[in-house]
Amino acid sequence: MTLEEYRGALDRTLPPPDLKGRIRRALETPPARPRRRALRAALAALAAAACLLTAALAASPELRTAVLTFFRLEQAEQVPLPGESPPDGPELTHALVAGQVEAQYIRLPGAGTGYSYGNGVLFQVEREEDGAPKAVRWWVAEGDALVPLEGRATGFSAAWAGLEYTDTVYWCVYKGEVSCYCAGSAGMAVDYNCTVSPLPGRTDAAILTLSQGSQMGYQEYPMLLDLETGAVTDLLAGTGWEGAAPLREVQWRPDLSAAILSSDNAGWFYCDRAGKTTASLDALTGLEVFSAWFAPDGALLLLTRPDPEGSCYDVWTWDPAGGPPVRTFQGLPRWPAGEDAPCGFQFFFGGSRGLCLTEDGRALVLDLASGETAAMTGPLPDLSAASFLPSPAGDKLLYAVYGGGADGLGISALGVADLETGVFTLLDRKSSPALHESSLGWFDRDRVAVRGRAADDMGRSWLYLYRF
């Protein structure tokens, strides 16, 4: 990250002006070592003090800064209770919490039944009397307004494993990304389903996943669905994938040139669609692979368990184009290590970063692909008592603490650690037992979503969005 990029990040996070000056002066001072930076002692007097990442990070394109500054906002959020149900559709109220966190409170009609979100878009499924979907309405939350989007509907039909799947995918496009919904065929009386997932950067097609069975008998199969025509393409045809059957999970490289196949019966496999081959990762790498996923650069990250008891992990990176696997981390403790030792390694699928809490209370941010380690030091919150959730792009970590005043989840604190700009912002929340919080997740790459309703009235519900 350049100085100008860091200045831009500071402008977006809106810290107090005197704090920005101190950080900038610290960055403009030549560092004592070429691959390490530190904030000056002036930050130590702040209530929210700086944390130093002591790692050699110059070689990592993913973790670009050696300074992670922790801010605990002085003003807590007074979480609003759901108001009266809006009669004509969802309504948005915009606020700036603690002078820094953008909040968008969306009142949903009735109990919010039929409302959901995905890929940064709010949508409502309108249903027939028998429950079948008949239309889907879409909105984006921009500033202080909900803006309707034009929706599309495409019918499709696909056959797999003796079953015919016929359904409709509802979809829309916003800022070059597709959001989509498919009701599927799952129900109490049937044991099959189909779901549709967007492809990053593509607006013409989506991944159609056909599935059968449940629990230990679950299996799935991927197809490519043309959103304009409804045509379906078999993505694994001719690759020899049958050696990995039954498939429990399929992960794709963004260009669909390769996939990682998971099978409870046979382990993990690498499928090269261009080369029309599928082979066991154990055979290809010489390792006993416990888990596998794609790094952002297309290489594979592999997890092995050197201890038969599973108390620790080794992490490897492997390029299918050539060369043996390279171990980047060895002996990472399992998370959680135990009730009396809240430490261990928490790995994030779909990205190349992990978090490790050590027995002496330190927090380590790990670049799993490069092997670089960044140690957080300073007056951090209790990381062992919280849950973490990576953003869709893997460049941010959502931090949440439960047990607050609200019913349900009772989220007492929300925070986001931005691993690229080097800012960790924590917001305390004050809420009433009259509020029931039911879910927490990422709304899009930047915003966090909390679903809530009145504890004594399911007819009043909200969706809370936060941008840190």
Side-chain angles (χ1 to χ4, degrees):
M1 172 179 283
T2 67
L3 178 59
E4 290 303 316
E5 290 172 331
Y6 194 88
R7 285 173 174 168
L10 291 173
D11 290 337
R12 289 191 297 274
T13 54
L14 298 176
D18 62 327
L19 179 58
K20 289 198 289 186
R22 294 178 186 183
I23 294 176
R24 286 169 175 167
R25 286 193 296 273
L27 289 174
E28 289 165 354
T29 302
R33 296 174 65 180
R35 298 173 71 184
R36 181 176 178 179
R37 299 175 181 173
L39 289 178
R40 295 304 182 192
L43 291 176
L46 296 173
C51 303
L52 176 64
L53 297 180
T54 56
L57 302 175
S60 172
E62 294 297 318
L63 202 56
R64 298 175 183 272
T65 176
V67 177
L68 182 66
T69 309
F70 172 64
F71 300 98
R72 188 169 204 139
L73 301 178
E74 295 183 2
Q75 178 186 350
E77 178 196 20
Q78 300 292 329
V79 182
L81 289 173
E84 294 301 320
S85 175
D88 300 321
E91 295 180 355
L92 183 148
T93 301
H94 184 266
L96 192 64
V97 181
Q100 182 169 334
V101 178
E102 178 187 4
Q104 295 166 305
Y105 304 123
I106 302 175
R107 285 194 300 155
L108 302 175
T113 303
Y115 284 85
S116 189
Y117 61 87
N119 217 19
V121 174
L122 173 70
F123 64 92
Q124 179 206 12
V125 181
E126 300 180 53
R127 300 185 181 276
E128 305 283 2
E129 290 186 1
D130 62 359
K134 64 177 181 179
V136 176
R137 295 197 294 165
W138 309 83
W139 299 267
V140 291
E142 294 184 339
D144 58 359
L146 282 171
V147 180
L149 295 175
E150 180 184 358
R152 302 279 303 278
T154 304
F156 65 87
S157 182
W160 171 62
L163 289 178
E164 186 79 16
Y165 296 77
T166 301
D167 215 316
T168 300
V169 57
Y170 300 87
W171 56 284
C172 70
V173 177
Y174 175 66
K175 290 186 175 180
E177 297 287 343
V178 165
S179 295
C180 49
Y181 168 80
C182 176
S185 304
M188 297 298 294
V190 297
D191 203 18
Y192 57 92
N193 195 10
C194 59
T195 58
V196 179
S197 305
L199 281 167
R202 291 187 61 171
T203 60
D204 64 318
I207 294 292
L208 172 64
T209 300
L210 311 177
S211 64
Q212 298 181 19
S214 61
Q215 299 182 0
M216 295 303 295
Y218 175 84
Q219 58 179 321
E220 67 179 41
Y221 194 80
M223 302 278 192
L224 185 67
L225 173 64
D226 189 305
L227 291 173
E228 292 288 343
T229 66
V232 173
T233 302
D234 188 338
L235 286 170
L236 298 181
T239 63
W241 71 272
E242 293 83 358
L247 302 180
R248 297 278 289 189
E249 181 186 7
V250 180
Q251 304 173 47
W252 290 100
R253 188 171 282 164
D255 62 2
L256 302 182
S257 64
I260 297 173
L261 312 180
S262 171
S263 169
D264 283 350
N265 294 347
W268 296 82
F269 290 75
Y270 178 73
C271 173
D272 182 348
R273 288 189 65 228
K276 298 293 184 181
T277 61
T278 298
S280 163
L281 280 174
D282 287 6
L284 290 171
T285 64
L287 304 173
E288 293 184 9
V289 176
F290 175 70
S291 186
W293 65 101
F294 283 111
D297 64 358
L300 274 69
L301 288 169
L302 310 174
L303 204 66
T304 61
R305 296 195 294 184
D307 178 4
E309 301 296 325
S311 63
C312 62
Y313 302 104
D314 288 353
V315 182
W316 308 73
T317 182
W318 178 64
D319 184 355
V326 176
R327 183 162 52 194
T328 55
F329 287 96
Q330 183 175 8
L332 293 174
R334 179 177 58 87
W335 177 303
E339 294 183 0
D340 298 329
C343 64
F345 166 53
Q346 189 176 74
F347 50 92
F348 301 135
F349 289 101
S352 62
R353 297 196 184 93
L355 180 72
C356 186
L357 301 185
T358 65
E359 293 182 359
D360 59 3
R362 291 181 302 137
L364 307 178
V365 177
L366 312 180
D367 188 317
L368 305 179
S370 69
E372 295 166 350
T373 303
M376 301 183 196
T377 61
L380 289 167
D382 184 4
L383 301 181
S384 65
S387 65
F388 292 90
L389 182 66
S391 65
D395 57 349
K396 298 178 179 68
L397 294 180
L398 168 60
Y399 167 92
V401 180
Y402 306 104
D407 187 28
L409 294 180
I411 302 168
S412 61
L414 278 177
V416 170
D418 191 319
L419 301 178
E420 291 194 347
T421 65
V423 176
F424 183 5
T425 306
L426 182 64
L427 173 68
D428 291 308
R429 303 172 80 240
K430 294 182 179 180
S431 54
S432 164
L435 172 66
H436 177 90
E437 295 175 330
S438 57
S439 66
L440 169 67
W442 285 95
F443 184 75
D444 54 23
R445 296 187 177 189
D446 299 310
R447 285 176 292 183
V448 176
V450 177
R451 191 76 180 261
R453 62 171 173 82
D456 60 352
D457 183 0
M458 294 186 65
R460 293 186 290 135
S461 60
W462 283 72
L463 181 66
Y464 304 83
L465 304 182
Y466 302 90
R467 190 195 309 272
F468 285 77

